[in-house]
Amino acid sequence: MSEAATLLDTSSPFGTYRAERLVRAAWRLADRHDLSRGLRKRIRALVAKVFKGPYDLEADGLKFRIYPGENYDDRKLLAKGRLPEREEHKLIEPLLGPGKTFVDVGANIGSYAIFAAHRGARVVAIEANPQTASKLSFNVFANALDSVTVINSAVGPREDTLPLWHEPSNCGFATFVKDLTTGEWAGDWSQTFVKVRPLTAITDDQGLKRIDLLKVDVEGFEDRVVLPFLRHADRPLWPRVILLETNCRPYWTEDCLSELADRGYEITGQTNDNMVLELKEEA
């Protein structure tokens, strides 16, 4: 594969880059969980050098241009031939449809946003990493979805500019929490300074009057997205349901789940990485 083919390409039409059988086989091998974690990591590094991407593929009827050498979600799409987060999609699908509004904070390449829009929801997809946001925009365009608004911004408690840490083998795991760049997640991390806005400012800009589903997946910064929003937004704008990533919960600065419970949210679903919390109507 030429070096040029590993660069970000958001201008060539979808279908330009085919994932041949050898490519798919190589990434399936790199994704085999019957291998030890260390061996799988070494295989993945080797495969990424040869088959980094981009590739164009369809999964569950949706179109994506993927870069498996750079992103976990892309690797899953290629290795499995289906969308990642299947359990989460099953939990949220009944909440989607025409007339529904889905706000996706930490949208990555769009595996949630495009899934939701394809089922009729209006989607506001927010992604902090500029390059990932470009990939997301391409995927939205490839699926001809005019119901998705892509916003390249981080979300936090106040207007700010902060260093976003990212690691070249998984751009989807980008974080403002520097402690997450060590230990289990140690790697070749670098940082990019990005703008941060409160979610209330973004929803005001978009003219939102109702949020049916809010998804927040921002690698240990979830509390600093959700709690300031609930503290400053009018109650009619509080999300009916929140899909909250919890696998980085030890890095929160506040007990997000406790405050959500105090505000009337109940846990109605759970996966290994996420919780679904529903706002119960006041008696």
Side-chain angles (χ1 to χ4, degrees), residues 126 159 222 270:
I126 307 168
E159 299 278 351
E222 290 81 11
Q270 191 167 350

Side-chain angles (χ1 to χ4, degrees), residues 247-268:
N247 62 354
C248 292
R249 182 179 176 183
Y251 298 90
W252 293 351
T253 58
E254 295 187 78
D255 186 354
C256 196
L257 295 178
S258 176
E259 182 162 337
L260 284 169
D262 290 343
R263 291 178 180 272
Y265 284 90
E266 295 182 8
I267 298 170
T268 57

Side-chain angles (χ1 to χ4, degrees), residues 38-142:
L39 178 57
R40 194 165 65 246
K41 184 175 181 180
R42 290 194 295 273
I43 294 173
R44 186 172 68 237
L46 178 61
V47 172
K49 288 181 180 179
V50 183
F51 302 119
K52 187 176 183 179
Y55 301 107
D56 294 336
L57 59 78
E58 293 193 32
D60 296 333
L62 306 177
K63 298 177 180 178
F64 295 90
R65 173 160 293 171
I66 62 169
Y67 300 76
E70 301 175 359
N71 196 3
Y72 174 87
D73 274 9
D74 297 44
R75 291 193 284 274
K76 289 296 180 182
L77 279 162
L78 187 52
K80 302 294 186 185
R82 60 169 174 79
L83 294 176
E85 302 106 7
R86 176 171 282 186
E87 291 181 69
E88 287 81 0
H89 288 171
K90 185 176 180 180
L91 288 172
I92 67 173
E93 187 167 14
L95 309 171
L96 303 170
K100 302 295 186 180
T101 299
F102 173 42
V103 177
D104 186 353
V105 181
N108 203 332
I109 64 164
S111 61
Y112 279 97
I114 293 171
F115 172 84
H118 195 253
R119 280 149 182 79
R122 176 191 176 184
V123 179
V124 178
I126 307 168
E127 172 55 46
N129 187 316
Q131 181 158 309
T132 306
S134 294
K135 296 175 181 179
L136 168 63
S137 294
F138 177 88
N139 291 334
V140 169
F141 179 78

